[in-house]
Amino acid sequence: MIDPFGRIRDRDGAPARWMPIVRDAVAGAFGLLFPSECAGCGEPDRALCIDCRGMLSVAGRHRGSLHRQSLADGTVVFSALPYEGGVRAAILAFKERGRTDAAGALSLALKLAIEAAATHAALPVEVCPIPATRQAIRRRGYRPVDVLLRRAGFRPASVLAATTSTIQQKSLGQLARQRNVRNSFRAKVPLHGRRFLLVDDIVTTGATLADAARAVSAAGGEVVSAATLAFTPRRRPEEAPRAAAA
């Protein structure tokens, strides 16, 4: 059965805890037959080694450890992990190198951020992923955020569509990011009376989430909060030269 968040539950209403157990058992057996390397550190192992799994689960110990930031319209964004080091390597491997075997561990962190964001919303609320462009879908062969949502037990409400292809945000400054994604999304259907929790993989300035919220509002819907797997830490001024030289 599906609860108001679109999460899969057993018939008695309890979360379907058996699903992750089955997935981990299958992944473990597959790893023995076809050895791989850790998506976080590159060491020979299964999808993620014990150390990298521990690194990804640090933020998952309690909701108070989550990063929070606000969009220009006041929408609060909850993020589980800092986008740096092994976390960054694991996310990039999952998104850009086809390492979908890392989705299980990453989805647990995203789930915590979504549940924290949901505390700001009265039910019912729908979980809406930020849509990928057609170009990105063709390149990857899958939609990373949708994969994580389903692994976390959520049913994505895919009500938005990307209207244009944009330059990759990582190469742009704050103002350029805002211009790059302006009017990049539209609603597929009228959204009057529906309430949404936006979900993306990474947040930096919040420009992408803000434009998605605009598209939801323009269609008559309401955005109550947002959640991301990771956030890009802001560098202090004295760190800028070192970062630029790297």
Side-chain angles (χ1 to χ4, degrees):
M1 62 180 293
I2 305 293
D3 72 2
F5 289 101
R7 293 178 296 199
I8 301 172
R9 291 181 175 268
D10 292 329
R11 292 184 181 277
D12 61 359
R17 297 185 180 89
W18 50 269
M19 295 180 68
I21 296 174
V22 173
R23 287 174 182 147
D24 282 348
V26 172
F30 191 85
L32 290 174
L33 293 173
F34 305 97
S36 182
E37 63 180 27
C38 173
C41 64
E43 290 296 316
D45 210 306
R46 49 187 292 188
L48 287 164
C49 68
I50 293 177
D51 289 342
C52 287
R53 279 180 174 269
M55 173 184 58
L56 293 176
S57 67
V58 167
R61 294 175 184 171
H62 56 87
R63 293 179 183 175
S65 65
L66 298 182
H67 174 79
R68 295 175 58 172
Q69 67 187 79
S70 296
L71 303 180
D73 63 0
T75 300
V76 179
V77 184
F78 290 80
S79 304
L81 301 164
Y83 187 60
E84 58 187 3
V87 170
R88 181 177 181 274
I91 294 175
L92 283 176
F94 166 66
K95 287 182 59 177
E96 306 299 345
R97 301 210 312 271
R99 292 297 303 271
T100 54
D101 52 344
L106 294 173
S107 68
L108 294 177
L110 178 61
K111 180 180 180 180
L112 186 81
I114 292 173
E115 291 177 342
T119 62
H120 283 242
L123 296 180
V125 63
E126 301 177 67
V127 177
C128 174
I130 301 300
T133 63
R134 291 182 180 179
Q135 180 183 11
I137 295 170
R138 285 195 299 267
R139 185 178 75 250
R140 295 171 177 144
Y142 55 94
R143 297 173 174 85
V145 178
D146 288 42
V147 171
L148 292 179
L149 284 174
R150 295 188 186 282
R151 287 299 302 266
F154 294 94
R155 180 177 57 187
S158 301
V159 299
L160 296 179
T163 58
T164 58
S165 295
T166 58
I167 301 171
Q168 287 196 341
Q169 292 283 77
K170 64 183 180 181
S171 63
L172 305 176
Q174 182 171 356
L175 293 178
R177 284 171 181 262
Q178 294 173 356
R179 291 192 297 267
N180 186 46
V181 299
R182 188 173 297 159
N183 298 318
S184 291
F185 306 109
R186 64 171 178 82
K188 299 177 183 178
V189 295
L191 303 176
H192 299 284
R194 298 173 65 177
R195 307 168 74 246
F196 297 92
L197 189 162
L198 297 179
V199 180
D200 204 0
D201 50 5
I202 305 160
V203 61
T204 301
T205 64
T208 300
L209 287 167
D211 195 67
R214 174 206 56 77
V216 169
S217 298
E222 178 187 1
V223 172
V224 296
S225 55
T228 68
L229 170 61
F231 68 95
T232 302
R234 293 186 177 181
R235 303 295 181 187
R236 294 188 297 271
E238 61 270 19
E239 293 179 314
R242 185 186 307 173

